[in-house]
Amino acid sequence: MANISSPGIGTNGLDVKSIISQLVALERQPLDTLKLQAATVRTEISAIGQIKSLVATLSDAAGRLSGAARWDTVSASSSDAKQVSATALDTTPPTSFTVEVQHLAQAQSTASAALLPVGAPVGAGRIRLLLGRPDAATPVDIDISATDRLKDVVRKINAADAGVTASVLSDASGERLLLRGKATGLDAQFSLTVTQAPNDASGLSRLGTGNAVTQAAADARATVNGIAVSSATNTFAATMEGVTFTAHQVTTGPVEITVRKDDTAVQSDVDALVKAYNAVNQLLQEATKYDAQTRTAGLLQGDSTVIALHNALRRAIDSDSAAGGAFQYLADIGVTQQLGGDLAVDPTRLAQALEKNPEGVKTLFSGTNGVALRVQALGKQLLSSDGFFQSKANTLSASLNRNDQSQAQVNAQADAFEQRITQRYTALDKQLSSLNALNAYITQQVATWNKQ
């Protein structure tokens, strides 16, 4: 607001500042309506964002039921998972077999003779490690210098990545070189030979001649339905097609592995689809309702585009399947619509449908024009770059921009009005002040004349 130089016009006690403030406030009065409208639009933008997020979740839930792979899920179980556990690929047909484990896979371990004195150089030369079966072993040569101690030998072996880990064991008899294979199985066995430098009395050869196997490398051995099988590890991944079983201990008797179709994943996905749909339905119901008792409308009540969205979602869920399967409606498998539009799952009826006619349930959701395919397709359409949500966001953003421009215009007009009226009152104040001064002078002169 412009500064007022006089407290009142002609010093007659008029509150000019208050008068101007009230007049300017009247000029700015449309801002109240504009600000309320802007707040409403921002709330609508937030609500549309929430609906978009829920529709994305619904589309994802439908996507899990629309793919063929989800309907082929199987599970593998063991009669004694502590002894033998199992997993199976989803493409594996139902089957069962017995496993008996005779021996677990082992990594080879060796220990050298005790070396004395502790911490002394071990002698110059070359160590050769041969990794693998004797007829196909891969050599790794490691040079040892005359000043190397046993801990230096360990460091060099570990740095050579020769398929073994080395360490030093110290006891009352001295220090020993311990070697252990990094992998289990006969293909991971190893041997150590030493070439001692000439005229080296320290004797690097002690690491070779005194090297003893403390644990031999071994494959895991088992029988499947009485047929002998083996594996370099305790996991048998290539024995039974589509099934991997792992031996945890030597068995005391046959352990039965069973592979069967797993409906729990589908049931969980149906529950997730229903939950996601209900979340969207409840938000849309709340946003578009009219409460007759309180005479209050929902935020998006009367918005034809949002109402059309709600109807499209209902049709995607309610329509019958054109795939010609045994089940035409969700209600046929125990998914029914409740008062208010929410869905509810009868787990018993759904489990019975999956048990008696799994292909029929699959067709209902993922067959031609299946429920999951319709919902997923609708979700993709709504969420696309030119779909409902982007279009709605553009419309609301444009409305908010127009509102901002209108507020700026009102403020500019009010500022200009304030400036004009301030100038007028200031000029009037000066004129009246001059007249008051002239009046005082005339009054004084008249009084002087009267005294004469």
Side-chain angles (χ1 to χ4, degrees), residues 2 14 70 73 93 96 120 144 163-164 183 197 206 218 233 236 256 288 315 404 413:
L14 248 125
R70 196 60 170 176
T73 302
S96 64
I144 308 300
V164 300
R206 291 176 296 168
T233 69
F236 292 74
E256 185 166 359
T288 58
R315 287 194 299 272
D404 289 340
Q413 291 173 347

Side-chain angles (χ1 to χ4, degrees), residues 424-435:
R424 291 175 184 176
Y425 270 101
T426 300
L428 182 59
D429 186 33
K430 288 180 180 179
Q431 292 175 1
L432 288 178
S433 294
S434 298
L435 291 173

Side-chain angles (χ1 to χ4, degrees), residues 203-287:
L204 182 62
S205 60
R206 291 176 296 168
L207 295 180
T209 56
N211 197 48
V213 175
T214 55
Q215 178 173 283
D219 289 341
R221 300 195 304 275
T223 56
V224 175
N225 290 347
I227 300 173
V229 294
S230 63
S231 171
T233 69
N234 291 323
T235 297
F236 292 74
T239 299
M240 296 293 292
E241 185 175 2
V243 182
T244 296
F245 63 90
T246 301
H248 300 290
Q249 61 187 54
V250 174
T251 57
T252 56
V255 175
E256 185 166 359
I257 305 298
T258 303
V259 179
R260 59 170 59 89
K261 192 174 183 303
D262 184 8
D263 292 331
T264 58
V266 172
Q267 290 172 321
S268 176
D269 287 344
V270 172
D271 287 338
L273 178 68
V274 167
K275 182 180 178 181
Y277 176 82
N278 290 346
V280 179
N281 178 67
Q282 290 165 15
L283 183 55
L284 290 173
Q285 289 275 45
E286 184 67 23

Side-chain angles (χ1 to χ4, degrees), residues 251-415:
T251 57
T252 56
V255 175
E256 185 166 359
I257 305 298
T258 303
V259 179
R260 59 170 59 89
K261 192 174 183 303
D262 184 8
D263 292 331
T264 58
V266 172
Q267 290 172 321
S268 176
D269 287 344
V270 172
D271 287 338
L273 178 68
V274 167
K275 182 180 178 181
Y277 176 82
N278 290 346
V280 179
N281 178 67
Q282 290 165 15
L283 183 55
L284 290 173
Q285 289 275 45
E286 184 67 23
T288 58
K289 75 176 183 179
Y290 176 77
D291 192 326
Q293 291 184 339
T294 61
R295 296 183 178 181
T296 56
L299 178 65
L300 302 173
Q301 199 268 335
D303 188 320
S304 60
T305 60
V306 175
I307 293 172
L309 163 66
H310 202 179
N311 290 335
L313 288 170
R314 287 195 184 108
R315 287 194 299 272
I317 288 290
D318 294 343
S319 299
D320 64 320
S321 171
F327 305 113
Q328 294 296 305
Y329 296 92
L330 288 176
D332 296 339
I333 62 170
V335 181
T336 55
Q337 197 164 53
Q338 310 299 298
L339 185 65
D342 277 2
L343 300 176
V345 181
D346 182 336
T348 301
R349 285 186 62 188
L350 177 59
Q352 290 173 346
L354 285 167
E355 181 180 359
K356 294 179 180 179
N357 195 340
E359 282 301 315
V361 180
K362 178 181 178 180
T363 300
L364 175 64
F365 282 101
S366 63
T368 304
N369 199 37
V371 173
L373 286 174
R374 291 199 304 265
V375 173
Q376 186 184 29
L378 177 60
K380 288 182 177 179
Q381 177 186 342
L382 294 171
L383 296 164
S384 66
S385 58
D386 58 349
F388 168 80
F389 289 107
Q390 188 59 54
S391 175
K392 193 69 176 176
N394 293 341
T395 299
L396 292 173
S397 295
S399 176
L400 200 57
N401 288 335
R402 289 192 299 271
N403 184 281
D404 289 340
Q405 293 170 4
S406 297
Q407 289 192 46
Q409 185 177 7
V410 170
N411 278 319
Q413 291 173 347
D415 289 342

Side-chain angles (χ1 to χ4, degrees), residues 143-162:
D143 291 325
I144 308 300
S145 67
T147 58
D148 282 341
R149 294 173 173 79
L150 188 57
K151 65 179 182 179
D152 299 314
V153 175
V154 166
R155 176 179 54 79
K156 289 184 175 182
I157 292 174
N158 289 333
D161 193 22

